[in-house]
Amino acid sequence: MTHVHVVYAHPGERSFTRDVLHAFMGGLVEGGHTYTVSDLDAMGFRSELTRDEYERESGRRADAAVPDDVAAEHARLADADVWVFVYPVWWADCPARLKGWFDRVWTVGFAYKPAGVVVARKALVLCTAGYTVAELDASGCHEAMRTVMLTDRIGARAKTSDFVVLGGSASHGEEEWATLRDEHLARAAELARSL
């Protein structure tokens, strides 16, 4: 059994991204895994660093306290074997709230030195996009998004990592998209089961 922490960023109650989240959680249950979810929009997670947070990080003061919401995220991540990030691609990146989550949660002493670093067994990125991987490859966006997320944001904080784009809604007709959408949801569930 694997314990998974999902960080989810999307403001809408009805979206393909939320469908991916639900398919993934269903796969976790089917696979006998346990999980927790941080729904950043539902939580009202603040994405901006305060002056105190900035001073803690820029001064590399790992002994200084972090805000309660950041400490709660640290605890969820530390308790999990696998970290999963589910979000839509907006302007070739994650939503601002998730970017702010990294800014605030990847603190000195937790995500980078001088103190210890928490390391997950695996990190999995599931992002939804209007375009397919082939279309994102042609524009150079796919490799850029993958590099930023897996190399910079996750890096050595996970023993292994994977970046999965579930896309194509903007480049397919309604009928084609319905089929592709179902394939993507099945893939999300299978990725969860196989953890």
Side-chain angles (χ1 to χ4, degrees):
M1 177 177 68
T2 298
H3 183 63
V4 178
H5 182 61
V6 180
V7 180
Y8 175 75
H10 194 292
E13 286 297 317
R14 294 171 45 183
S15 68
F16 175 55
T17 308
R18 187 162 298 272
D19 293 343
V20 167
L21 173 68
H22 288 300
F24 187 80
M25 291 187 309
L28 289 173
V29 171
E30 290 168 7
H33 307 302
T34 59
Y35 67 90
T36 52
V37 177
S38 289
D39 182 336
L40 301 184
D41 284 274
M43 294 162 57
F45 189 84
R46 179 175 49 79
S47 56
E48 303 84 18
L49 285 170
T50 63
R51 182 168 296 181
D52 287 343
E53 287 173 291
Y54 170 76
E55 304 233 344
R56 180 190 189 279
E57 297 310 304
S58 64
R60 294 186 176 257
R61 294 178 25 231
D63 58 333
V66 297
D68 290 345
D69 60 343
V70 171
E73 290 301 290
H74 286 173
R76 290 180 191 108
L77 293 164
D79 287 345
D81 306 298
V82 175
W83 303 337
V84 179
F85 301 91
V86 180
Y87 62 88
V89 172
W90 290 345
W91 298 109
D93 201 357
C94 62
R97 196 177 299 263
L98 180 55
K99 169 60 171 71
W101 182 93
F102 283 107
D103 289 345
R104 294 189 63 227
V105 174
W106 270 189
T107 60
V108 63
F110 179 82
Y112 64 99
K113 297 182 178 185
V117 176
V118 173
V119 177
R121 176 172 58 82
K122 180 179 178 87
L124 173 63
V125 175
L126 291 176
C127 56
T128 61
Y131 298 100
T132 64
V133 171
E135 291 166 318
L136 292 168
D137 272 337
S139 69
C141 288
H142 181 257
E143 189 56 32
M145 294 185 312
R146 187 180 187 287
T147 299
V148 167
M149 189 58 78
L150 297 188
T151 303
D152 183 44
R153 293 180 184 147
I154 294 172
R157 294 170 191 95
K159 292 177 183 172
T160 64
S161 57
D162 198 10
F163 185 81
V164 177
V165 176
L166 306 172
S169 60
S171 56
H172 288 81
E174 193 173 313
E175 199 170 296
E176 289 175 307
W177 169 241
T179 300
L180 186 55
R181 179 185 179 283
D182 290 345
E183 291 171 8
H184 287 328
L185 295 176
R187 184 175 182 199
E190 179 52 34
L191 285 166
R193 282 191 294 271
S194 66
L195 293 175

